[in-house]
Amino acid sequence: MSEQSPFDLPEGDPFGPHTLPYGVFSTAAEPAVRRLGVRHGRYVLDLSALPEPLRPAHAEVLAAPTLNPLLAAGRPVWTEVRAAVRAALTDPAHRPAVTPLLHPLDDVTLHLPFDVADYVDFYASEHHATNVGKIFRPNDAALPPNWKHLPIGYHGRAGTVVVSGTPVVRPNGQRKAPTDAAPTFGPSRRLDIEAEVGFVVGTPSTLHEPVALESFRDHVFGVCLVNDWSARDIQAWEYVPLGPFLGKSFATSVSAWITPLDAFDDARTAPPARDFPLLPYLDDTAAEPGGIDLRIEVQINGETVSRPPFASMYWTAAQQLTHMTVNGASLRTGDLYASGTVSGPGRDQLGCLLELTEGKGPFLQDGDEVTLTAWAPGPGGARIGLGEVTGRVLPAPAAP
Ligand SMILES: O=C(O)/C=C/C(=O)CC(=O)CC(=O)O
Ligand SMILES: [Ca+2]
Ligand SMILES: [Mg+2]
């Protein structure tokens, strides 16, 4: 470990006092005890034991083994806790009390930070949807006729959302290429990634009461990185007419850190111009800018293969939240919704191998390790880092 004090971050560290993401960790001394923590540089601040006078009101939500009680507590508590944490880490007067609560990241185990309630995945990148449409449906228009009128999505499998670092086992399944006479069963031969941004719901909503665009910040707590692992051969055969199912439900990886929405105040940006007027519930022309200038990097086995720009997404997270509830469906604490694959217009900005290789592959091999990282501009030139999401591919089990 370096001699440097945990309070003095290296110049440009993306996990400084403007970032402060939340996670859940355990220590080698007490592996069964899960605690809430906030990342500061290469350290984790233990939130379960903040002493007076740093303890915020409602500190009981910080004593839980998951983020869910904090998520449920609502925006005023989120603001108060964030201010207390920032004071603890930046006011030199608190250093003696705070120093024993800082654990080197290398010494802790990070866990799935919240119990995932429902999981929804959208399809909000025009570039991705166009590219994939051409590959999967070469005889149809690349974008379906509804695409620019509503944010398309589907409900995924919450129970297989896993934390960064969890190995991903290649799925077995049915696949049938158009040229095959009959379907066959076995390990996916076209295992892919999807670089996405996830949004974590804190405050629930009431059944039959749609959540308006302006209420986005009241409900959404924070942001994470998501890798929506996708078996393209299983997907291409099974998805008609109900959409993704077993080709995506075997694993969805999320970063161990959930970064509060407040950290992105300086990164807000206008979404691309819309080509059609939107129905009033989705019309954000008079709203605060709904895009986020988040720059993602995709690495495979340590090599950068793409840099997808989140600012290019056609649909915003606020529009997605509104659309998800416009039929009266309610939100629960711990709901996770992902943006959809982030692809920009450039060939080096594509968020999956299907696009990067124009449908031809190569796709992921057993042993490959995929890592997504991202940062956004913060105040005064600071960088706001998102925690990485990484996973290594393990071979498929023997077919049943
Ligand atoms: O166009 C299709 O049939 C399917 C596309 C996807 O696999 C994308 C999906 O999961 C949504 C997204 O990540 O954008
Ligand atoms: Ca996806
Ligand atoms: Mg998935």
Side-chain angles (χ1 to χ4, degrees), residues 119 121-122 128 154 194 196 228 230 248 340-341:
Y119 167 51
D121 187 22
F122 283 95
H128 171 73
Y154 67 94
E194 288 190 333
E196 306 198 22
D228 176 23
S230 298
K248 286 170 181 281
T341 310

Side-chain angles (χ1 to χ4, degrees), residues 48-399:
S48 69
L50 282 180
E52 294 295 350
L54 292 169
R55 267 174 81 82
H58 314 287
E60 68 281 357
V61 298
L62 304 180
T66 71
L67 285 175
N68 293 60
L70 173 62
L71 299 179
R75 182 150 290 283
V77 175
W78 306 340
T79 302
E80 194 186 332
V81 172
R82 186 165 162 82
V85 168
R86 185 174 287 150
L89 291 167
T90 56
D91 184 343
H94 298 311
R95 287 188 179 186
V98 168
T99 300
L101 304 178
L102 285 166
H103 299 265
L105 254 188
D106 295 336
D107 294 353
V108 304
T109 302
L110 298 172
H111 302 277
L112 187 65
F114 63 105
D115 290 331
V116 184
D118 289 298
Y119 167 51
V120 163
D121 187 22
F122 283 95
Y123 191 41
S125 159
E126 180 173 3
H127 308 288
H128 171 73
T130 303
N131 296 335
V132 172
K134 285 181 186 157
I135 294 167
F136 275 180
R137 294 170 288 277
N139 301 322
D140 296 340
L143 285 185
N146 55 358
W147 199 92
K148 290 199 168 171
H149 297 279
L150 55 83
I152 296 179
Y154 67 94
H155 283 92
R157 193 163 191 85
T160 53
V161 174
V162 296
V163 72
S164 175
T166 307
V168 171
V169 175
R170 180 182 299 274
N172 286 311
Q174 273 201 36
R175 58 272 207 278
K176 179 191 169 305
T179 46
D180 294 343
T184 57
F185 186 89
S188 170
R189 300 182 186 112
R190 290 163 68 87
L191 182 60
D192 200 353
I193 57 169
E194 288 190 333
E196 306 198 22
V197 176
F199 292 83
V200 179
V201 172
T203 312
S205 71
T206 305
L207 190 63
H208 312 312
E209 291 182 14
V211 174
L213 274 181
E214 312 77 71
S215 302
F216 171 69
R217 294 177 73 86
D218 297 335
H219 290 277
V220 170
F221 172 81
V223 178
C224 59
L225 278 176
V226 175
N227 185 350
D228 176 23
W229 305 90
S230 298
R232 300 302 183 189
D233 41 2
I234 298 172
Q235 179 186 358
W237 168 232
E238 75 174 358
Y239 86 97
V240 184
L242 291 186
F245 190 38
L246 304 183
K248 286 170 181 281
S249 65
F250 55 94
T252 305
S253 299
V254 295
S255 52
W257 300 105
I258 311 297
T259 308
L261 264 193
D262 289 346
F264 300 100
D265 283 350
D266 286 62
R268 304 305 289 237
T269 178
R274 275 49 177 274
D275 296 336
F276 293 93
L278 297 174
L279 287 168
Y281 77 95
L282 288 171
D283 184 358
D284 61 355
T285 43
E288 65 175 88
I292 305 178
D293 177 12
L294 201 57
R295 300 140 196 225
I296 304 170
E297 185 168 329
V298 182
Q299 289 192 358
I300 301 183
N301 301 327
E303 190 190 324
T304 299
V305 299
S306 181
R307 290 192 163 85
F310 189 63
S312 67
M313 301 298 270
Y314 194 88
W315 296 102
T316 71
Q319 289 173 318
Q320 291 170 332
L321 189 80
T322 293
H323 187 63
M324 239 187 320
T325 61
V326 75
N327 64 347
S330 48
L331 302 171
R332 292 192 292 176
T333 297
D335 282 356
L336 169 68
Y337 65 101
S339 58
T341 310
V342 182
S343 290
R347 293 193 51 81
D348 54 353
Q349 297 183 319
L350 304 170
C352 65
L353 293 173
L354 185 71
E355 292 173 84
L356 284 163
T357 68
E358 295 174 345
K360 296 189 281 280
F363 290 90
L364 295 173
Q365 307 297 307
D366 291 347
D368 281 352
E369 185 173 60
V370 180
T371 303
L372 312 180
T373 56
W375 63 275
R383 285 189 175 197
I384 308 296
L386 283 186
E388 67 174 22
V389 59
T390 188
R392 186 182 293 279
V393 177
L394 298 186

